[in-house]
Amino acid sequence: MLSWQDVSGVGVHSTMLHRLDPRVKILMLLTTGLLVVFIDNPWVLGGLLSMGLTGMAAARLEAVKIKVVSTVIILGLWGAVFSQALFYEQTPRTAIFTLISPGFPLLGPLTKGLYVYQEGMVYGLRQGLRMAVMTSLGMLVCWTTDTRLLLLGLVRLRLPYSLAFMAVTAVRFIPVLMQETMQVMAASRLRGGSRFSLQVLSPILANCLRRAGTLAVAVESRAFRAYNRRVYLEELHMAMGEKLLLVSYMLMATAVAFTKISYLGYTYGIYYHFSLRPLYEIARSCL
Amino acid sequence: MIQIQNFNFWYPGRGEATLREVNLTVKPGEMLLLTGPTGCGKSTLLKCLNGIIPHLSGGRSMGLVLVAGMDTRSQTMAQLSARVGLVQQCPDDQIFSTIIQDEVVFGPENLCLPRQEIEKRLEWALAAVDLSGFQRRSTTALSGGQKQRLAIASMLALRPHILALDEPISQLDPQGAVEVLEIVKKLQQNYGVTVVMVEHRIHEVAQYVERVAVMDEGRLVFDAPVRQAMAQAELFAGMGLRLPETVEISRRFHQVGMTVGETVTLLKQERRKHGSSAISGARTHLPFFPKIRYPVDGLAAVEARDLYHRYGKKEEYTLNGVSLRVKRGERVAVMGRNGAGKSTLLSHLAGLKAPQQGDVRIAGISFGGKLPLGMVGMVMQNPDLMLFQTSVRREIEFGLHNLRLPPAVIKERYKRVVENFSLDRLQDDSPLALSRGQRLRVAIAAVVAMAPLIVFLDEPTTGQDKRNMDGMMAALREQVDTLVFGTHDVEIALAHATRLLVLDQGRLAADGAPRELLADRELMNRCGLRPTPSWLVGQELGLDNVFTPQELEARWIC
């Protein structure tokens, strides 16, 4: 059976991706988040997804982790494609398959016919791929970056320490919370109750509050937020190669965004310049 | 170092004061044990020392708390944290970093100390708690004792003059507890740290402290040097607190023996005074000690075959080929150090976990991961996780309704458990609003009401005072046919178990009569257990099969 321990934690390997400065990973992830908004071409989105999956292989992640992320991606893609294929509302749309014809007794008149639309499938695939890209890259960052380095990276990217600390500490306590949830559900089941009853929430919440109180005392007893700033024993050092990688990636993303925005300006009749025609062509065919 | 003068404190929204007219002085370098029954206000008093009260808690206070001559109300939390280090009960709840180094330097980093100073403090703090060289080790890979030592180190890195410890050993196995107590003693003796320790487990702590203060209902009712305090056995007994066995033994001679060595010397002196004939007479007249016997009908209540379990594919096996058979009517104690696999074994036996490998049969039936409703009961280490109804009445009736019993049976069973667990006056109260001992009673009553064939208890005595422990175990012995309980408490195992299972790294290291196994010194050491002081005294005196002060008294004294 799959356990939390199998899919959490950074793992034992130390590949180049593990050693990459956390700021580079976080910024590249955020940049990709913006990038996928500008890309509609399923092939390019598929390329970005394969980049995430290749990263996982390069990071030598355990098979169980790759299995988990693949399952999430496949289910997400299937859900997005299936729902959009059936309920795509925009026109033009091409029905490629009829699930329920309008003449079908009872359901036909009720649904006015249920069809699988080609454009809906493509639209769903696009949305699904966007989510899949972010899932694969997000998990890759989590599975190759120690929580403490993630905290340091976030702080060095100017996220207030209190916020970064809260976010990372919440992650630290997820396994404990899960374990307690299982115990409460087990206690309920042993007495004939349902494991999914809302009643099980009260001991979980009560325990969370108690733990939050303990943690608050623990951090406040150690001069938490004693000053507006704090120092760090360990510092992050971004190597020249890492800087180049980050800058190149961000420049590439900026170029993609500029190309797409120019194209959208042209198609909506907002702005046109003949010198941008090669960009329009790239955007039309690739983005 | 600490002066508390006429101090009163009210938590927000509470009419009654939690602390009432408390006066206490602690000298520099002193080690004070602050004890009292559950809910007496001792943890609250501890939080006054580092300013958690009143700076974070809210509420209302009256009187003075002076630390190093300064009023805690006029000091910031940061200033106070450099003077008083507070270590809490559960190490897992207060450690938030993934590696040891980060946990220890958290405080110095917050104080914006220079890098060299932080490094110096890191090394010093880890050396002081015997964790040198562990800087990069994961905090989750530590044992219970090591985690609590880490919690202490993370406070020491702030170089406090005072260590305030709130039940630091309550969650630890006996060896882990000794590790922590010896480190604290070393800090006091070698570094002059003033220690204020709140603890129920007086019997384990008393030999390390110099002074004992006792609280009851928010008041300081007793304060004396440890030997003087130990002479007041009635005071502690009246509050449901357990004294060291050596003290109980030596009380007979109106003296206080704090250690096994002292007690042995004392008993030998008494022997010389009274002559050897009286002693040998006692031996011949009291050759046999009644063992607790229960009707054992031979049928298996639960049976496990070749159980294997691990929590992750990279993890070590938590259960490594465990096979056992518990007969109906048996009372089985499961012991072993923290992480030995006790809780995992109990979860498997109760049917809460499906075996990854092997088989569990309850009353001869294999349930294959399905829960045998009504056949087994389980009381978890944290009873709060078992309370999810809005009143005690609903909590107890919940399982009974789910068993679809006739209303008359439900009424009868409800009435019986409410009486047996003294819950009459709490029937309409919310379970989560009760005291710790009361919550445990409600959780057990809800399980027992279902009249299960077998009840499993996962370290039910953790954090409970002796009165609560004895009451609970007595009620269980009365009402439960077959009982399997995990515990670290050798005395509880001796008093209530007919059979003992000892786990070591997921394997069944020993299975037999408690008195037989608890006399095996090598087994005890290997599995993180500690023999009772009475047994140690008995060994020194050449007496076998002596485990309790009463037995020692019967064997040694006429």
Side-chain angles (χ1 to χ4, degrees):
Chain A
M1 205 177 85
L2 190 67
S3 73
W4 172 259
Q5 281 85 347
D6 288 330
V7 292
S8 64
V10 170
V12 289
H13 299 297
S14 178
T15 64
M16 199 181 73
L17 275 168
H18 286 83
R19 290 190 297 271
L20 198 61
D21 190 298
R23 289 168 295 183
V24 175
K25 293 188 217 179
I26 295 167
L27 286 174
M28 284 180 75
L29 183 66
L30 290 175
T31 308
T32 311
L34 290 174
L35 192 59
V36 291
V37 175
F38 291 107
I39 298 172
D40 289 324
N41 188 323
W43 291 106
V44 179
L45 288 170
L48 283 173
L49 173 60
S50 62
M51 186 175 87
L53 297 176
T54 310
M56 287 190 177
R60 294 164 64 197
L61 295 181
E62 295 81 350
V64 65
K65 288 179 176 168
I66 292 176
K67 209 187 284 178
V68 166
V69 89
S70 306
T71 310
V72 171
I73 286 172
I74 289 167
L75 286 176
L77 273 175
W78 178 82
V81 171
F82 188 70
S83 61
Q84 291 300 327
L86 293 184
F87 304 113
Y88 187 71
E89 288 290 337
Q90 294 173 41
T91 50
R93 55 183 184 177
T94 316
I96 54 170
F97 191 76
T98 305
L99 283 179
I100 300 170
S101 74
F104 193 82
L106 190 65
L107 287 176
L110 271 177
T111 58
K112 294 175 185 167
L114 196 56
Y115 306 96
V116 173
Y117 297 106
Q118 186 182 346
E119 289 80 2
M121 285 179 73
V122 174
Y123 182 73
L125 183 67
R126 220 178 267 151
Q127 300 297 348
L129 282 170
R130 283 183 179 131
M131 284 190 289
V133 169
M134 293 314 293
T135 307
S136 65
L137 289 175
M139 295 315 290
L140 181 62
V141 170
C142 289
W143 283 331
T144 57
T145 317
D146 196 315
T147 327
R148 53 193 291 273
L149 294 177
L150 210 52
L151 172 68
L152 209 49
L154 288 169
V155 171
R156 285 291 172 246
L157 290 172
R158 310 271 171 184
L159 187 73
Y161 180 74
S162 306
L163 284 180
F165 177 78
M166 272 191 278
V168 172
T169 307
V171 174
R172 146 82 174 82
F173 282 100
I174 286 175
V176 182
L177 187 67
M178 287 186 67
Q179 199 181 4
E180 281 183 358
T181 306
M182 304 300 263
Q183 285 187 359
V184 175
M185 291 196 302
S188 171
R189 282 167 63 211
L190 268 176
R191 286 160 58 203
S194 161
R195 72 172 84 187
F196 301 115
S197 158
L198 280 178
Q199 288 167 335
V200 301
L201 285 177
S202 63
I204 296 169
L205 289 175
N207 237 30
C208 276
L209 286 174
R210 186 193 55 74
R211 178 168 299 108
T214 307
L215 191 64
V217 169
V219 297
E220 291 291 348
S221 302
R222 283 188 265 165
F224 187 57
R225 294 178 300 187
Y227 303 105
N228 289 331
R229 64 183 194 96
R230 84 191 287 278
V231 297
Y232 299 88
L233 181 61
E234 279 188 10
E235 279 298 346
L236 295 172
H237 299 286
M238 204 185 287
M240 187 51 76
E242 291 174 322
K243 283 179 190 166
L244 277 175
L245 173 71
L246 182 61
V247 169
S248 317
Y249 192 74
M250 290 175 99
L251 281 176
M252 185 272 291
T254 311
V256 168
F258 178 76
T259 307
K260 189 64 184 255
I261 290 168
S262 307
Y263 178 66
L264 290 174
Y266 156 64
T267 51
Y268 285 100
I270 298 166
Y271 180 77
Y272 170 80
H273 195 276
F274 72 94
S275 63
L276 295 175
R277 282 174 64 186
L279 291 187
Y280 301 152
E281 183 52 32
I282 291 171
R284 194 184 62 77
S285 57
C286 302
L287 301 178
Chain B
M1 183 57 76
I2 300 169
Q3 273 184 295
I4 300 174
Q5 295 168 1
N6 303 321
F7 193 74
N8 296 270
F9 178 72
W10 292 262
Y11 276 110
R14 282 202 205 162
E16 278 193 23
T18 305
L19 298 178
R20 300 168 192 195
E21 291 299 312
V22 176
N23 285 287
L24 180 72
T25 304
V26 185
K27 289 181 215 146
E30 199 173 17
M31 188 157 171
L32 171 80
L33 168 64
L34 188 60
T35 191
T38 311
C40 67
K42 49 194 188 301
S43 295
T44 304
L45 186 60
L46 212 58
K47 285 180 187 149
C48 297
L49 302 182
N50 77 336
I52 296 289
I53 290 175
H55 293 303
L56 281 183
S57 65
R60 193 159 57 89
S61 63
M62 216 168 70
L64 267 183
V65 177
L66 302 174
V67 171
M70 280 180 269
D71 188 344
T72 53
R73 283 175 302 193
S74 62
Q75 303 281 298
T76 63
M77 282 292 300
Q79 287 168 322
L80 284 166
S81 57
R83 292 201 176 90
V84 185
L86 177 70
V87 177
Q88 302 179 83
Q89 198 178 95
C90 178
D92 283 323
D93 287 356
Q94 57 190 314
I95 292 173
F96 43 82
S97 304
T98 51
I99 66 165
I100 287 178
Q101 173 181 298
D102 289 0
E103 190 67 25
V104 178
V105 301
F106 179 78
E109 284 179 341
N110 286 334
L111 290 176
C112 299
L113 297 176
R115 189 189 180 82
Q116 291 80 1
E117 178 64 18
I118 296 177
E119 280 173 354
K120 214 166 96 184
R121 288 192 181 197
L122 170 69
E123 278 177 32
W124 176 78
L126 288 180
V129 299
D130 291 346
L131 285 176
S132 291
F134 281 45
Q135 278 92 327
R136 311 296 298 184
R137 187 169 287 196
S138 164
T139 52
T140 53
L142 301 177
S143 69
Q146 286 173 326
K147 280 182 187 169
Q148 201 59 292
R149 278 154 52 195
L150 170 61
I152 294 172
S154 62
M155 287 299 168
L156 287 179
L158 292 160
R159 289 276 167 91
H161 307 294
I162 300 164
L163 260 188
L165 307 160
D166 191 0
E167 299 193 37
I169 59 167
S170 65
Q171 313 260 331
L172 307 181
D173 60 43
Q175 268 183 15
V178 170
E179 278 175 26
V180 170
L181 291 170
E182 283 180 353
I183 288 293
V184 172
K185 191 69 190 167
K186 189 177 93 177
L187 291 170
Q188 184 227 358
Q189 287 178 336
N190 298 356
Y191 302 102
V193 176
T194 308
V195 178
V196 180
M197 187 190 301
V198 162
E199 192 51 70
H200 279 141
R201 288 161 69 169
I202 306 175
H203 58 292
E204 289 175 72
V205 174
Q207 60 174 303
Y208 295 93
V209 300
E210 288 145 10
R211 210 174 115 204
V212 179
V214 182
M215 288 186 72
D216 194 19
E217 296 183 349
R219 292 178 196 282
L220 197 69
V221 293
F222 182 83
D223 181 2
V226 65
R227 283 183 184 275
Q228 211 174 313
M230 292 299 113
Q232 308 290 320
E234 290 75 18
L235 172 80
F236 294 98
M239 292 180 176
L241 299 169
R242 195 183 343 174
L243 286 180
E245 284 191 3
T246 52
V247 171
E248 286 192 30
I249 297 163
S250 52
R251 266 183 70 206
R252 167 87 190 205
F253 313 105
H254 307 291
Q255 297 206 39
V256 175
M258 295 300 298
T259 61
V260 169
E262 274 181 35
T263 311
V264 170
T265 310
L266 178 65
L267 287 172
K268 282 181 177 169
Q269 280 170 0
E270 290 299 318
R271 183 182 185 174
R272 278 196 292 274
K273 270 190 214 168
H274 296 290
S276 57
S277 58
I279 305 301
S280 55
R283 276 187 182 177
T284 48
H285 286 105
L286 288 160
F288 175 74
F289 303 100
K291 288 183 185 176
I292 305 155
R293 290 191 184 280
Y294 298 91
V296 176
D297 66 10
L299 291 175
V302 65
E303 193 172 6
R305 283 182 207 156
D306 290 325
L307 277 186
Y308 286 86
H309 183 87
R310 56 180 169 178
Y311 285 95
K313 286 185 180 152
K314 291 175 291 179
E315 308 282 323
E316 295 284 311
Y317 276 99
T318 314
L319 292 181
N320 202 345
V322 175
S323 295
L324 59 95
R325 189 168 188 265
V326 176
K327 286 180 264 179
R328 288 190 66 173
E330 280 190 308
R331 305 278 196 266
V332 182
V334 184
M335 301 189 82
R337 63 177 81 235
N338 288 107
K342 300 187 291 296
S343 300
T344 310
L345 176 63
L346 293 179
S347 297
H348 276 85
L349 296 180
L352 290 176
K353 279 189 173 26
Q356 290 172 348
Q357 205 178 316
D359 186 31
V360 172
R361 287 170 184 268
I362 298 164
I365 307 162
S366 179
F367 288 86
K370 287 182 186 164
L371 284 178
L373 180 61
M375 287 181 78
V376 299
M378 174 100 184
V379 179
M380 291 162 176
Q381 194 172 5
N382 181 358
D384 296 355
L385 298 178
M386 303 174 61
L387 304 172
F388 35 77
Q389 297 293 322
T390 51
S391 71
V392 171
R393 179 189 297 277
R394 280 167 167 260
E395 197 68 60
I396 295 170
E397 288 182 344
F398 177 72
L400 299 175
H401 285 302
N402 288 330
L403 285 176
R404 299 180 195 283
L405 296 171
V409 178
I410 292 180
K411 200 173 167 188
E412 186 272 325
R413 284 204 195 171
Y414 174 77
K415 193 167 166 258
R416 187 158 48 94
V417 293
V418 162
E419 276 170 16
N420 287 337
F421 287 91
S422 311
L423 296 169
D424 313 55
R425 287 189 300 160
L426 307 171
Q427 295 178 63
D428 297 318
D429 290 6
S430 166
L432 288 173
L434 302 177
S435 74
R436 192 177 177 140
Q438 289 167 337
R439 294 201 299 271
L440 180 63
R441 288 213 311 268
V442 175
I444 296 176
V447 168
V448 169
M450 294 175 77
L453 170 73
I454 181 166
V455 171
F456 299 93
L457 298 108
D458 190 1
E459 295 181 35
T461 54
T462 301
Q464 300 289 333
D465 58 36
K466 189 173 185 295
R467 189 162 39 192
N468 282 337
M469 278 187 223
D470 288 345
M472 182 188 74
M473 293 309 286
L476 282 167
R477 281 175 58 174
E478 191 79 18
Q479 296 178 52
V480 176
D481 179 46
T482 311
L483 194 63
V484 180
F485 59 99
T487 185
H488 286 141
D489 196 322
V490 174
E491 284 89 343
I492 290 282
L494 271 167
H496 302 284
T498 56
R499 180 177 161 198
L500 175 62
L501 305 175
V502 184
L503 286 179
D504 184 28
Q505 296 178 337
R507 292 176 198 277
L508 196 58
D511 178 358
R515 303 176 73 92
E516 204 175 286
L517 300 187
L518 293 172
D520 184 341
R521 197 71 185 267
E522 191 276 323
L523 174 77
M524 300 279 278
N525 283 339
R526 180 157 48 91
C527 300
L529 304 174
R530 299 194 78 215
T532 63
S534 300
W535 186 83
L536 292 171
V537 172
Q539 290 295 298
E540 292 289 323
L541 297 174
L543 299 174
D544 287 330
N545 206 21
V546 167
F547 289 91
T548 66
Q550 293 74 23
E551 290 173 4
L552 194 64
E553 193 175 336
R555 288 276 290 272
W556 188 252
I557 306 151
C558 288

